[in-house]
Amino acid sequence: MRILAERRDTAPRRPAEDTASDTTGVALVSRDSRLSEVVGSVAASGGVVVDVVADRDAVARAWSRHGPLLVGADMAGTAMAWGLPPRSGTHVVGFDAEEAARWSAGLSASVIVVPRANQVLTEILHDEIAATSKGTVVQVNSSGGGTGVSTLAAGLAWAAAASGMRVGLVELDSHAGGIDLLLGIERKDGWRWPELASARGVTTDLGSRLPSIDGVEVVSAGRLGVQVPPAARRAVVDSLAGDHDLVVVDPGAASAPEVSVDVRVGVVAADLRSVMTARGQDVPNVLVARRGSGRSMSDEDIESVLGVRPDVVVRDDRRLIRCHGDAEAPWVVASGRWRRRCQELAELVMGS
């Protein structure tokens, strides 16, 4: 028997094709109105709809869905008597631990005792939103320093927003403080990591509470660095993915395996040393080569080392270098060529 008393380990986002088309929320198998009220209240706080089902046909349909399924202790025995097969992601929910535990082994289910384990229930419902969210999460990484990853991540976010998408930009390193300065929004009102460090589960319409610029809603470090736990980083990214078309993640120095990423963009400087360093790293979904002074390695030579040809080539932009720190967003001061490369990158990312 497994009794959940703490938040579950991070699970990767389930591919969209695994989600049944008729799934509108999390199903609760129960005839207990009090239990339905408690579970519904927890779900509503995270923007999740709970479908309460009790008749055999409706329960069978819910049983065949992918994702979490809540079975009230009051109907666990009935479900077993109906001969429904054990399935992954099943949780027996009840007010009494001993009563709920009676059915755990037979249903291959964990046990959630409410209201004591409401936080566990919140995490399970959080996964439902994360799994069915429509947004694409893209992370922009570099094989080394000095490649302008933050600037490119911002440009990617801007290009997607300019095409009509709702876009979020997340600076994962809560001690960095660079995105605010890069975009010139350090004086704009809105929540930053100090206000989001305690985030858990999924918050709907989080973007409305964030500072924004030209259609890009931004999560930044803020003026004071804070320690942000993995659960908060995961909650913020998944919340944005729930109601945004694209979420661009700039990891900085933060290692965040808890964040589920759909597309990885790798940036490599077009010089032999940088390319050799990148050789020992995972191949990204989209490869960007940075060219400029001392960075003239050809696409063919990069491909001969990495095994993949750059998808996009971004050249140094003197306007960006000259205007660095002028409190203007990169796309405002950059050349038309740089903006076109960002638009090309956005198209590739959304097509991956």
Side-chain angles (χ1 to χ4, degrees), residues 3 7 16 31 52-53 63 75 88 120 123 125 147 150-151 159 172 185 190 199 210 235 261 288:
I3 297 180
R7 291 189 302 275
R31 292 192 179 100
V52 181
V53 294
W63 213 269
M75 283 196 66
S88 60
V120 176
E123 289 290 322
L125 298 175
T147 55
S150 295
T151 303
L172 275 189
I185 60 171
L210 304 175
V261 176
V288 177

Side-chain angles (χ1 to χ4, degrees), residues 164-181:
M165 298 180 190
R166 189 176 183 192
V167 181
L169 173 63
V170 181
E171 179 179 41
L172 275 189
D173 187 351
S174 58
H175 295 280
I179 288 290
D180 269 357
L181 295 173

Side-chain angles (χ1 to χ4, degrees), residues 276-326:
M276 292 297 289
T277 300
R279 185 175 59 174
Q281 301 177 10
D282 292 337
V283 177
N285 302 100
V286 178
L287 180 63
V288 177
R290 284 298 316 274
R291 288 227 171 86
S293 178
R295 298 172 172 175
S296 57
M297 196 171 180
S298 69
D299 289 356
E300 291 78 7
D301 287 341
I302 292 174
E303 183 178 16
S304 69
V305 176
L306 299 182
V308 291
R309 194 180 185 89
D311 299 286
V312 180
V313 174
V314 178
R315 300 183 183 278
D316 288 348
D317 190 326
R318 293 180 181 178
R319 295 185 184 182
L320 285 174
I321 298 172
R322 237 183 2 249
C323 299
H324 182 71
D326 283 356

